[in-house]
Every structure is written in structure tokens, then in C-alpha cells.
Amino acid sequence: MAAAFAEYSRHTVGLLLLLGVVFIWVGSSFLVSNLFGEQQYNRPFFITYLNTSTFSFYLVGVYISHLIAKPNTQAARKRSRSDDSLGIQSTSIDSTPTNASGTQYHRDENIRNRSEEASLVQVSNEQARSNNEAVEKLTVRETVRLGVAFSMLWFAANVTQNASLAYTSVASSSILCSTSGLFTLVIGYVAHVETFNAARLTAVLASILGVYCIIKYGSQETNMVSPHSWIGDFLALLSAALYGCYTILLKRQIGDESRLNTPLFFGVVGLANTLLLWPGLVILHVSGIETFQLPHSQSMWAMILVNAFIGTFLSDYLWLLAMLMTSPLVVTLGLSLTIPLSMAGDIVFKGLSVSFPYYVGALLVLGAFIGVNF
């Protein structure tokens, strides 16, 4: 009963964190839209690179925590050595015979004490092993490897999504990216992370259909016909597949959030991004695909930094905790709520008019998210 309540509480906290991420990402999407549109600063690679590089600041907190914990660790080691030396002295004193008649008594007493101590040590070791099996933290090396792998997949998913917009419409890209729920379900089932059943498949398909209705009947975007639109559609699908891959990778390798040093993990992600992906800025600049240019106003810098530290630095930390506390599929379908919420923002603040199928789509997305939690 207690274990079931603890799991329910953990799942509830995960859902609350997820809702926080949804609202942060909606606000972030408006900032990015403003940068690409009104501010005319269309630099998706640079913005993604800068956002991900902010994760490196987590290493500062890790280093400070290490400095704070270091004196306590040294003091504990000194106390341990002192206790061991006292134990040795006590054993040598007890083993010294006082007289001939008491020698056999002390020997028998020492044998009994050692037997009891051995039994206690064995029980203690068994308990320690069981605790380590229950919550066995990832080592620093394992965390670094996972962080580098995640960094590459995460960045590739974001870049392919942004690149798809150069060849196809926002509507097509959003609809195809929403198939990430299907990829997450299938890849998760193959990796033994998610359970595959009719109810979950129905929820995923309902979410995709809901996104289609929202985009089709809620967007005023004119359909852009391009001879290379298939490239954009392929890139959007690739982004959805990459999302499914890195989400399942994290869940499979970590499992429980208590096994991961999360600040260290994200610090490694940011450092790997900073050190390994900067040549992309040079290649894009030389090729003319994305010329390098720093923001030219304080307001633009403010929007970029707010988006970096709130929309990425904080939100992705909460996203990871939410995913580990719930499941990859729950988080994926939950993030689809950003689409109807973004449209709702356009309705309220920009006076966007929508038709009835838009509301049907919003209900489908919401229903799919609720359904996958039961």
C-alpha cells in the first residue's frame, strides 16, 4: 500500500513538472517566433548552439558542491581510521590472558564475539548489496558517456526540425513532428521500456489526428508548394524519430531519477555541445546557409538569453525529471499540448479566428494525454 502510494505521488509530481515544461515551451515558442519574424534574426543553428551551451553552467554547481562536500568526506575518513585503530587496540587488550585459569575462558569468549561480529557483517553486507541494487547510481564515466550521446541526438533532432522549415511549411513540419509519439511507442516497445497495447496506440493516433486538426483548421498559413517539400517532410520525420531515440535511451539507461547526477549530466551535455559542434557555425557561415551574426540590440539579446536559460536550461532539466518519473510516451503526448496552447495564445493575443474542427483537435490531444495516464 505504501509503495503504491509512493509511486502514485511520484507520477503526480512528474505530471506537474511536465505541465510546467509545457507552459515554458509555449512561452519560448513565442520568443523564438518573434526573433525569427519581427526581429528578423533567423539563426536557428546559432540559437540552438547557444541554448544547449548554457547547460555547461551546471558544471559550476557540481564543482561548488564538490568543494563543499570535500571537507565532510575527509572528516569521515579520519573518523573511520580512528575507529579502526581503537578496535585493534581493544582486540589486543582483550586477547591478553590475565592468568592461567582465565585463558581458556577469554579464548572461548573471543571466538563467540568474532562469530557474532561475522554474522553482523554478513547481514550488513547483504543489506548494502540490496540497497545498491535498488538504487545504483551511474558512475561519472557512465554519466559522461550518456551525456555525450544524448547531446548529439538532441542537437540533431533540433537541427533537423529547424532545417525542415526551409523546405516545407510550418503546418506540415508540426504535424510530422507530432508522430514522435508513435516512434517513442514503437522504439520503447522494442527496447522493453514501453508496453504496446491497443489503448496506447489509439492514444498516439488520436494525438496525431488532433494535431492535424489544430494545424489544418487553426492556422492561417498559406500552403507553400515547393518541389523540394519532400526533403522538409523527411527531415521533420527524422526529427521525430531522433526524439524517440534519445528519450528511450535516457529511460533505458537511467530508469529511476535517483540513479542520475542530473546537474553533472546536463553539464556534460552542454560542454560536449560547446566543444564538438562549434565547427558547424563555421561550415554554415562559409557555405552561406547561415551567416554568423551576433544579435544587434539589447532587446534581442534579452529575448535570446531568457529563451536560453528558461526555455532550455531550466525546462529541459524539468523535462528529464518528468520523463523519468512518468514514462517517455506520457511526456511525448504531454508535450503535444504545446500546440493547442500556442494556438490559444494566438487567439487571445493576436485575434486568430478558428473553426470548430480546431476545438475537436484540441480535445483529441488533451484526451490522448489523459488516456495514456490510465
Side-chain angles (χ1 to χ4, degrees):
M1 186 66 181
F5 178 76
E7 182 62 27
Y8 174 79
S9 301
R10 179 169 170 266
H11 189 88
T12 303
V13 172
L15 292 179
L16 293 175
L17 292 175
L18 177 58
L19 291 177
V21 173
V22 168
F23 282 103
I24 291 175
W25 281 16
V26 169
S28 177
S29 68
F30 279 102
L31 281 178
V32 174
S33 176
N34 185 272
L35 283 171
F36 287 177
E38 297 178 11
Q39 300 293 330
Q40 296 182 348
Y41 189 74
N42 191 4
R43 302 291 188 276
F45 189 94
F46 172 73
I47 290 177
T48 306
Y49 178 82
L50 180 64
N51 289 350
T52 315
S53 296
T54 59
F55 288 145
S56 303
F57 287 101
Y58 279 113
L59 292 178
V60 178
V62 172
Y63 181 69
I64 293 174
S65 299
H66 173 72
L67 292 179
I68 294 174
K70 191 174 181 179
N72 296 331
T73 304
Q74 292 175 345
R77 289 176 179 174
K78 289 180 180 179
R79 285 196 299 271
S80 178
R81 286 195 294 266
S82 176
D83 292 342
D84 290 342
S85 62
L86 288 175
I88 293 173
Q89 294 175 3
S90 175
T91 302
S92 61
I93 292 174
D94 291 341
S95 60
T96 303
T98 55
N99 51 58
S101 61
T103 301
Q104 184 63 37
Y105 170 77
H106 283 297
R107 285 178 180 175
D108 294 342
E109 186 68 20
N110 287 334
I111 292 173
R112 283 195 298 270
N113 289 338
R114 289 172 184 173
S115 178
E116 291 175 357
E117 289 175 0
S119 300
L120 290 174
V121 169
Q122 183 178 2
V123 171
S124 177
N125 290 337
E126 289 177 355
Q127 291 176 347
R129 281 196 299 270
S130 63
N131 291 334
N132 289 334
E133 290 175 359
V135 183
E136 183 181 354
K137 283 187 171 294
L138 296 180
T139 64
V140 173
R141 177 173 294 183
E142 290 172 337
T143 303
V144 170
R145 288 178 179 175
L146 184 61
V148 173
F150 171 79
S151 176
M152 298 300 104
L153 288 172
W154 188 91
F155 198 91
N158 282 270
V159 168
T160 50
Q161 181 182 2
N162 291 330
S164 69
L165 299 175
Y167 299 97
T168 190
S169 63
V170 175
S172 296
S173 177
S174 299
I175 293 170
L176 291 171
C177 285
S178 71
T179 60
S180 58
L182 185 59
F183 283 107
T184 301
L185 179 61
V186 174
I187 298 172
Y189 175 72
V190 173
H192 305 289
V193 172
E194 293 283 359
T195 56
F196 190 96
N197 54 45
R200 288 183 158 231
L201 179 60
T202 301
V204 170
L205 296 179
S207 179
I208 296 174
L209 178 60
V211 171
Y212 173 80
C213 292
I214 292 169
I215 300 297
K216 181 70 175 177
Y217 299 99
S219 175
Q220 294 180 345
E221 178 191 46
T222 57
N223 291 327
M224 179 182 62
V225 179
S226 169
H228 302 293
S229 60
W230 66 271
I231 298 177
D233 295 340
F234 171 76
L235 290 174
L237 278 174
L238 179 59
S239 175
L242 288 171
Y243 173 87
C245 288
Y246 73 65
T247 307
I248 296 301
L249 169 69
L250 292 181
K251 185 66 175 180
R252 181 173 175 81
Q253 294 297 322
I254 301 172
D256 190 276
E257 67 277 3
S258 59
R259 297 187 63 232
L260 180 69
N261 185 337
T262 309
L264 175 61
F265 169 75
F266 275 112
V268 170
V269 171
L271 188 61
N273 171 86
T274 305
L275 297 178
L276 300 178
L277 297 177
W278 65 264
L281 295 170
V282 179
I283 295 172
L284 293 177
H285 178 76
V286 173
S287 63
I289 297 176
E290 181 182 314
T291 56
F292 180 77
Q293 180 185 10
L294 292 174
H296 49 74
S297 67
Q298 292 182 351
S299 61
M300 193 179 295
W301 269 114
M303 284 189 289
I304 290 175
L305 292 178
V306 167
N307 179 60
F309 283 98
I310 304 298
T312 300
F313 183 83
L314 173 62
S315 69
D316 279 48
Y317 190 99
L318 300 179
W319 167 85
L320 178 60
L321 293 180
M323 187 271 293
L324 295 175
M325 289 181 176
T326 56
S327 77
L329 185 60
V330 168
V331 169
T332 303
L333 295 187
L335 292 178
S336 296
L337 293 173
T338 59
I339 297 177
L341 283 176
S342 297
M343 286 289 185
D346 286 336
I347 293 172
V348 174
F349 298 109
K350 298 181 180 180
L352 178 68
S353 59
V354 297
S355 57
F356 177 73
Y358 162 82
Y359 297 101
V360 175
L363 288 175
L364 283 173
V365 172
L366 179 61
F369 172 64
I370 294 175
V372 81
N373 281 282
F374 294 97

